Amino acid sequence: MLFLGTGTAGTLMGCARYFRKWHRPVRIVAVDSVGSVAFGGTPGRRMIPGLGMSMRPPLLDEEYVDEVVRVEEADTIRTCHRLARRGFLFGGSTGTVVSAATDWLARHGTRDLTAVAIAPDLGERYLDTIYQSNWLQDLYGEHLLDSAQVYTAWEENSASRAPGRRRRA
């Protein structure tokens, strides 16, 4: 499994063509933001830069894509904050890709599966948006990051998959 964010579709298409050319059995999962029309659908508000397009990317050839996963911006933000709590300051594109991969793997299982998610950006360019409480509250409401249950479920799921780690009772 290879999870790739879709903006201009350059990285997506480069990786997908490489694996196809060399006959590698890799399932390509394109990750897009809800509100993007890169893969069709209804356009919507997108406040986090990086992934998503207001038009179909000229480089995109959907024949190379096995599946498309769309992620809500609220999930992107929560994922970025979860990762930051663990010491990883990533940007919105990476948060979107990690959110999609984590959700997909939780729903489909990971037995006998190698999954890779490409992290295309760091968080330093997002300090005044994704990591700024006033920006978050103005756009997404006061309770976006309130739910301890959301953190706990994600962290337990991550811990249960990590080699050598035991789930807390």
Side-chain angles (χ1 to χ4, degrees), residues 22-124:
W22 293 103
H23 306 288
R24 302 289 188 229
V26 175
R27 184 169 172 81
I28 302 296
V29 179
V31 178
D32 200 10
S33 300
V34 169
S36 166
V37 296
F39 293 93
T42 305
R45 179 182 88 155
R46 292 179 296 112
M47 301 304 294
I48 301 173
L51 297 184
M53 296 282 286
S54 58
M55 59 181 245
R56 181 180 173 80
L59 298 175
L60 180 61
D61 182 348
E62 288 187 61
E63 182 178 309
Y64 288 87
V65 176
D66 296 303
E67 187 172 348
V68 176
V69 175
R70 290 181 173 86
V71 177
E72 295 279 352
E73 286 190 339
D75 293 327
T76 293
I77 293 164
R78 287 184 193 108
T79 299
C80 286
H81 281 260
R82 288 178 199 123
L83 291 168
R85 284 182 61 192
R86 292 172 174 246
F88 301 100
L89 188 66
F90 285 119
S93 297
T94 297
T96 304
V97 172
V98 171
S99 178
T102 304
D103 183 58
W104 192 97
L105 293 167
R107 286 184 287 114
H108 293 90
T110 59
R111 176 170 240 132
D112 300 324
L113 178 69
T114 300
V116 174
I118 294 186
D121 60 354
L122 297 175
E124 77 282 355

